[in-house]
Amino acid sequence: MIIRGILWDMDGVLIDTTEAHFEAWRQIMAEQNMELDRQYFLGALGMNNIGAIEYLFRRPTNLHEVDAIGKKKEGLFRKILKGRINLLPGVQEWLDYFRANGFLQAVATSAPWENIETLFDETGIRHYFQAIVSAYEMPGKPDPYVFLEAAKRIDVDVAECLVIEDSTAGVEAARRGGMKCLAVETSNPAGKLTQADFVLYRLSDQSPREVIAQIEKQ
């Protein structure tokens, strides 16, 4: 088995946005006299706003509510995050390695386009990717839609794709999509990422060449 395509999640993989998401959701829920437990909140990471609202509010939602709450939350999120976006340790080196060695790369995220554009504007990494897919208004993780669509757009078979994720929902989506998965412990400890094929604390802990070689042997 040879890896040819790299499918990057965004939040928690390229950049660390966990605290900004938590603070934005905490403010939204406080307006409705609801408290948000941080540990419980971590279970919503990787989900789009439809899934996140149903999970956090613990009830069904509707498209009108998702649109209203989602827009307000994402606006708060971008305001909190502005000027604080930095690539996580090792990301730049891994991006450079994959581009230099002929891998095709895509971003496959549950984030809305405004958040994606903010990431690219502040980090300047847009040129590394041959495709960018948002599942914001599509089936969200753990549904594998976003990864299947990203693999299709870079024209790489799913069996030759490596997903890089940090959320349990994202790891499950990669597995359901028939893809290998490397998980980083940005927002979850290794014990919660057991469905991944390989786990690193941070990408900077090991070279991409070594990790790819070990995954291809599995």
Side-chain angles (χ1 to χ4, degrees):
M1 187 271 293
I2 301 296
I3 298 296
R4 296 195 302 116
I6 309 297
L7 310 183
W8 294 84
D9 177 43
M10 187 175 83
D11 293 325
V13 173
L14 293 169
I15 55 175
D16 189 359
T17 56
T18 302
E19 293 307 317
H21 278 297
F22 175 68
E23 179 58 25
W25 278 120
R26 189 194 64 78
Q27 291 185 37
I28 290 294
M29 295 181 71
E31 291 176 359
Q32 301 191 36
N33 298 312
M34 299 177 66
E35 293 186 0
L36 179 58
D37 176 77
R38 191 182 186 285
Q39 197 62 37
Y40 183 74
F41 153 79
L42 293 176
L45 294 177
M47 298 180 182
N48 60 16
N49 278 346
I50 295 174
I53 288 170
E54 292 190 344
Y55 175 84
L56 295 174
F57 286 68
R58 307 187 193 217
R59 59 170 173 76
T61 187
N62 57 69
L63 292 179
H64 175 75
E65 182 180 48
V66 168
D67 184 62
I69 293 178
K71 284 181 178 178
K72 188 170 185 178
K73 179 265 171 178
E74 297 303 341
L76 276 172
F77 168 76
R78 289 190 292 273
K79 183 177 180 181
I80 293 167
L81 198 62
K82 189 172 178 61
R84 297 166 50 190
I85 296 179
N86 295 296
L87 296 179
L88 280 161
V91 167
Q92 187 67 63
E93 291 74 18
W94 282 56
L95 288 170
D96 288 335
Y97 174 85
F98 290 138
R99 183 174 65 173
N101 288 275
F103 292 83
L104 297 174
Q105 301 186 75
V107 172
T109 175
S110 298
W113 280 103
E114 293 87 348
N115 294 12
I116 298 170
E117 292 297 334
T118 298
L119 162 72
F120 287 146
D121 288 345
E122 296 208 19
T123 63
I125 62 172
R126 184 193 305 266
H127 62 285
Y128 286 96
F129 305 104
Q130 286 70 57
I132 304 159
V133 182
S134 168
Y136 185 66
E137 295 181 338
M138 301 296 177
K141 303 169 188 175
D143 189 293
Y145 164 82
V146 70
F147 294 136
L148 295 174
E149 181 64 22
K152 179 180 177 181
R153 292 193 192 181
I154 63 173
D155 195 25
V156 177
D157 188 271
V158 294
E160 298 177 317
C161 286
L162 175 66
V163 169
I164 307 180
E165 261 288 353
D166 72 305
S167 70
T168 55
V171 171
E172 182 180 347
R175 181 185 61 78
R176 289 171 60 182
M179 304 172 187
K180 294 293 185 179
C181 183
L182 163 64
V184 289
E185 296 181 62
T186 311
S187 53
N188 285 286
K192 291 189 176 182
L193 301 167
T194 55
Q195 291 190 78
D197 298 280
F198 203 94
V199 179
L200 288 174
Y201 180 69
R202 294 290 183 270
L203 293 180
S204 54
D205 290 348
Q206 202 163 339
S207 76
R209 180 183 60 80
E210 293 171 338
V211 172
I212 291 294
Q214 291 181 63
I215 290 175
E216 287 180 338
K217 289 179 182 178
Q218 294 180 2

